[in-house]
């Protein structure tokens, strides 16, 4: 983890930010960082209790947050949430689409239901929120959206086709939307993180009692560490700081980009 908390040079005072998947990992860290930079962080997650816990942690630090249960695959609920936030606070400046799931299985074995579930959350969930927010931001004359892709879009890792396809779709959605809404002052970018230590990646190393097998995790991380010139595996804050930059005015000239916070791992193609 970075020697946190780092000073946040780009202020987001008065801004209202909606974060999906804010109950855990990268989403939670992002909500915390944006709030520490001055934004009101609206923490949403399919697990409403986890979203509330993130908001409470933000309040405990003296910053502003609200929380709501939100399943991003529920299009009507996403529109209600996004439009409700804009109505309640009078503005919507930032949307961070971070909610995501993964299902494993080689292409020849993938069940259609698993493929649908991954596309519904990772791609269509991002699409619904982008569409709801972009309509509001374009009418208001500005805003910033950050979507979450993955290093998986740069390679063909066996066993995660559904996930990789969903994230490749997120990349293309990001580019198309950026091209269409730039004239309204709305910027759209994505992060494509490398391996980050979160619940999503820890699930492989859980012991029967639910605790983490640190040794197994360290062994699995070894080859990835070797691929990074920095010898690093990511922590959620590493991605949150990149997102903070992208949503801030410091990135005024940046749109349609896929930022790869991944320790410098170069993909084979
Ligand atoms: N951890 C990594 O190595 C890594 C790498 C690249 C990309 N990512 C992406 O980063 C994002 C965050 O992942 P993480 O590692 O923090 O995982 P995580 O499992 O810690 O957090 C994901 C959060 O999304 C929520 N969520 C799941 N389904 C949802 C739904 N339908 N609606 C709303 N919320 C939902 C979960 O409840 C959870 O709180 C994901 O999009 C993931 O694909 C993660």
């Amino acid at each position: 983890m970075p020697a946190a908390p780092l000073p946040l040079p780009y202020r987001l005072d008065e801004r209202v930010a909606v974060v999906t998947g804010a109950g855990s990992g990268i989403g939670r860290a992002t909500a915390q960082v944006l709030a520490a930079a001055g934004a009101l962080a609206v923490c949403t997650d399919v697990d409403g209790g986890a979203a509330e816990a993130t908001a409470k942690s933000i309040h405990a630090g003296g910053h502003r947050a609200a929380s709501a249960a939100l399943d991003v695959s529920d299009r009507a609920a996403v529109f209600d949430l996004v439009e409700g936030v804009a109505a309640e606070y009078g503005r919507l400046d930032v949307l961070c689409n971070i909610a995501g799931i993964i299902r494993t299985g080689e292409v020849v074995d993938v069940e259609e239901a698993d493929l649908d579930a991954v596309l519904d959350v990772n791609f269509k969930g991002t699409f619904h929120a982008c569409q709801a927010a972009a309509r509001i931001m374009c009418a208001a004359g500005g805003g910033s959206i950050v979507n979450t892709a993955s290093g998986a879009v740069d390679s063909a890792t066996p066993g995660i086709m559904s996930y990789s396809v969903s994230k490749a779709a997120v990349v293309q959605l990001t580019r198309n939307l950026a091209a269409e809404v730039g004239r309204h002052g709305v910027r759209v970018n994505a992060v494509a993180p490398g391996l980050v230590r979160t619940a999503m990646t820890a699930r492989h190393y859980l012991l029967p009692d639910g605790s983490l097998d640190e040794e197994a995790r360290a062994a699995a991380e070894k080859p990835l560490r070797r691929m990074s010139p920095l010898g690093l595996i990511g922590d959620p804050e590493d991605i949150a700081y990149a997102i903070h930059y992208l949503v801030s005015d410091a990135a005024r000239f940046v749109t349609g980009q896929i930022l790869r916070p991944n320790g410098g791992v170069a993909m084979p193609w």
Side-chain angles (χ1 to χ4, degrees):
M1 187 177 315
L6 297 177
L8 296 165
Y10 313 123
R11 296 301 304 172
L12 300 173
D13 300 309
E14 313 304 328
R15 306 212 184 159
V16 174
V18 169
V19 181
T20 75
S24 175
I26 295 168
R28 179 170 56 198
T30 298
Q32 289 168 337
V33 164
L34 300 190
L40 167 68
V42 181
C43 307
T44 73
D45 199 286
V46 70
D47 180 343
E52 195 183 341
T54 299
K56 277 192 182 145
S57 76
I58 291 171
H59 292 147
H63 305 297
R64 296 183 307 143
S67 69
L70 177 67
D71 177 349
V72 295
S73 67
D74 180 341
R75 179 173 172 83
V78 170
F79 272 75
D80 279 353
L81 182 287
V82 169
E83 289 168 0
V85 166
E88 182 169 351
Y89 300 107
R91 57 192 298 158
L92 174 65
D93 305 281
V94 170
L95 167 69
C96 300
N97 283 305
I98 305 181
I101 59 170
I102 191 165
R103 296 268 199 284
T104 49
E106 299 212 345
V107 177
V108 293
D109 300 320
V110 166
E111 298 282 347
E112 187 178 6
D114 281 334
L115 176 63
D116 286 344
V118 171
L119 291 176
D120 279 352
V121 175
N122 295 4
F123 172 58
K124 286 184 73 179
T126 301
F127 165 72
H128 299 322
C130 277
Q131 199 176 54
R135 288 177 186 173
I136 291 164
M137 290 174 177
C138 287
S144 178
I145 297 174
V146 176
N147 296 327
T148 308
S150 163
V153 303
D154 292 319
S155 67
T157 307
I160 57 166
M161 177 279 295
S162 305
Y163 181 77
S164 305
V165 166
S166 74
K167 295 301 188 177
V170 166
V171 165
Q172 197 56 39
L173 164 65
T174 301
R175 292 190 177 124
N176 278 71
L177 183 59
E180 291 170 358
V181 298
R183 68 184 185 278
H184 299 291
V186 179
R187 297 183 301 104
V188 190
N189 293 287
V191 286
L195 184 68
V196 180
R197 284 199 197 98
T198 66
M200 181 179 277
T201 48
R203 74 193 196 289
H204 303 294
Y205 321 115
L206 293 181
L207 294 165
D209 68 357
S211 65
L212 194 64
D213 183 341
E214 295 282 1
E215 238 172 70
R217 182 165 80 167
E221 285 177 354
K222 228 177 187 174
L224 282 147
R225 271 185 195 284
R226 270 195 236 109
M227 287 167 71
S228 160
L230 298 170
L232 284 175
I233 300 295
D235 283 310
E237 292 74 13
D238 293 312
I239 314 307
Y241 288 125
I243 293 173
H244 170 236
Y245 160 70
L246 286 173
V247 303
S248 78
D249 293 345
R252 185 186 81 106
F253 198 43
V254 181
T255 198
Q257 301 300 308
I258 314 302
L259 181 60
R260 289 169 167 75
N262 63 8
V265 172
M267 293 299 169
W269 61 71

